[in-house]
Amino acid sequence: EHPHLGFSLQQGDTGYLEELLDRRRIDVALVHLPLTTRDEDLAIQPLARACFRVMCLADSPLAHHSQVTLTQLAAWPLVVMRRKSGFGVYDNVMQFFLKAGLKPQILADASDVPMMKYLVEQGMGVGLLPMLEENHEVSTLLTLPVPELDAVADDLVLIYRSPHPCHTVLRDRKS
């Protein structure tokens, strides 16, 4: 319908994508809350709510459970999702463990899921990350819910400058 309209995919953590949006290098971004900016010109469109899942090998003792508790997680080396900068889900999860009187064994933190999957596939620990889809299959790994952490799970949102220049372009093309 719009043959001259194209797009480029940029990948990064929330802070990096916000910076690209601020510098007008991108028009829109799919990011996880919380935002690191206080820019009042950004429009936010909520898209989905995440829930926490543990990634583990099929032969892991955790695989025999239908869900995992914080107490169970504290006994395992964890690979966790973490932003490169700014406050995010990682900080909330660490606070949740502390409030429960538990000290998690953080083996590694990563800002990208493929690296987390690799470490778990190598048997180095279990992964803990927010996931969006109902189909929680992650290649050869099992994923199990961690209901205690749902309160700190984040939202996936679309952010853009308001009013977005793309609205004008699309409206002008229809005329």
Side-chain angles (χ1 to χ4, degrees):
E1 188 176 322
H2 301 283
H4 301 295
L5 190 61
F7 64 93
S8 171
L9 295 175
Q10 301 288 324
Q11 199 171 357
D13 70 6
T14 298
Y16 173 70
L17 293 173
E18 287 174 331
E19 181 183 326
L20 291 178
L21 193 61
D22 185 50
R23 293 184 359 219
R24 302 194 188 284
R25 302 285 311 254
I26 61 174
D27 294 319
V28 297
L30 289 171
V31 299
H32 290 272
L33 294 179
L35 298 180
T36 61
T37 182
R38 300 264 185 240
D39 189 340
E40 293 182 12
D41 291 335
L42 287 183
I44 301 172
Q45 176 65 47
L47 300 176
R49 178 90 178 143
C51 62
F52 270 92
R53 307 286 288 191
V54 169
M55 289 188 294
C56 64
L57 295 168
D59 61 356
S60 166
L62 288 177
H64 303 290
H65 299 278
S66 60
Q67 61 186 29
V68 179
T69 67
L70 286 180
T71 302
Q72 289 170 312
L73 281 179
W76 289 86
L78 297 177
V79 179
V80 294
M81 183 69 77
R82 187 174 194 177
R83 289 182 177 184
K84 292 177 185 169
S85 63
F87 187 85
V89 172
Y90 171 88
D91 306 285
N92 287 331
V93 168
M94 294 303 108
Q95 288 177 5
F96 237 71
F97 272 105
L98 291 175
K99 285 179 185 174
L102 300 168
K103 183 168 175 34
Q105 301 174 46
I106 305 300
L107 170 74
D109 60 64
S111 61
D112 101 344
V113 175
M115 179 53 70
M116 292 179 70
K117 284 174 42 181
Y118 176 77
L119 294 172
V120 173
E121 288 169 342
Q122 300 310 304
M124 298 180 74
V126 296
L128 178 62
L129 73 161
M131 297 181 81
L132 297 172
E133 311 163 358
E134 284 304 314
N135 177 3
H136 298 288
E137 208 171 292
V138 184
S139 69
T140 60
L141 302 173
L142 295 177
T143 65
L144 303 166
V146 185
E148 290 171 272
L149 291 177
D150 283 347
V152 296
D154 56 5
D155 291 322
L156 177 69
V157 298
L158 180 72
I159 60 172
Y160 55 92
R161 296 229 163 268
S162 181
H164 190 274
C166 190
H167 293 155
T168 306
V169 172
L170 293 177
R171 188 173 42 245
D172 290 346
R173 285 182 171 224
K174 290 180 182 178
S175 316

